[in-house]
Amino acid sequence: MSQNHTAGRLKKRPQFLRVAGKGRKVATPGMVVQMLQDDSQPDSRVGFTVTKKVGNSVIRNRTKRRLREALRLVAREDGLPSGDFVLIGRDGTRRREFSLLQDDLRKALRKGLEK
């Protein structure tokens, strides 16, 4: 993976739908990662989402904060490849041990980048 540390944000629904429709999806116990490689784009862009099935707004926001922090630490250590990424929180995301959550993210990124 490249050593790119800067990551923009995906905020609009069409951006999320583009990654979901054209990208790859990797499911782990702690999260689902959707990724769309785009070598013409120099920076990475990341979006976070958690469905209402996971819980109320407090729980969903806590889950997103855990995903953001895991991504921040993994990107700092391993770098983040260029492209668009969507991290989807699962019910187990908030209960999963944080080091395992980081491992899930690393594993998903590696698997998603394999051809």
Side-chain angles (χ1 to χ4, degrees), residues 94-107:
R94 70 178 194 275
R95 289 187 294 275
R96 192 144 173 90
E97 188 178 319
F98 195 71
S99 61
L100 293 176
L101 196 62
Q102 289 176 290
D103 290 342
D104 287 346
L105 180 56
R106 283 187 189 97
K107 200 177 304 179

Side-chain angles (χ1 to χ4, degrees), residues 3 11 25 47 67 81 101 111:
Q3 292 298 320
K11 294 185 178 182
K25 180 171 92 168
L67 290 174
L101 196 62
K111 190 173 179 183

Side-chain angles (χ1 to χ4, degrees), residues 9 36 39 44 49 69 74 95 100:
R9 292 289 303 273
L36 180 60
D39 295 327
S44 302
T49 187
E69 182 63 9
V74 167
R95 289 187 294 275
L100 293 176

Side-chain angles (χ1 to χ4, degrees), residues 3-86:
Q3 292 298 320
N4 182 2
H5 293 284
T6 59
R9 292 289 303 273
L10 298 175
K11 294 185 178 182
K12 305 261 188 232
R13 181 170 167 75
Q15 295 171 322
F16 282 81
L17 293 175
R18 181 175 162 267
V19 175
K22 295 182 180 179
R24 301 181 74 173
K25 180 171 92 168
V26 179
T28 65
M31 71 189 76
V32 175
V33 179
Q34 296 173 335
M35 56 193 83
L36 180 60
Q37 289 298 111
D38 188 1
D39 295 327
S40 66
Q41 176 181 310
D43 292 333
S44 302
R45 296 186 306 174
V46 183
F48 302 90
T49 187
V50 181
T51 67
K52 288 185 178 182
K53 287 189 261 182
V54 171
N56 63 25
S57 63
V58 173
I59 292 171
R60 292 193 311 269
N61 285 324
R62 184 175 298 140
T63 302
K64 283 189 264 190
R65 282 195 301 271
R66 285 178 58 92
L67 290 174
R68 273 195 296 272
E69 182 63 9
L71 178 72
R72 186 184 72 80
L73 294 173
V74 167
R76 186 177 69 191
E77 293 172 11
D78 304 336
L80 194 61
S82 62
D84 291 341
F85 301 88
V86 175

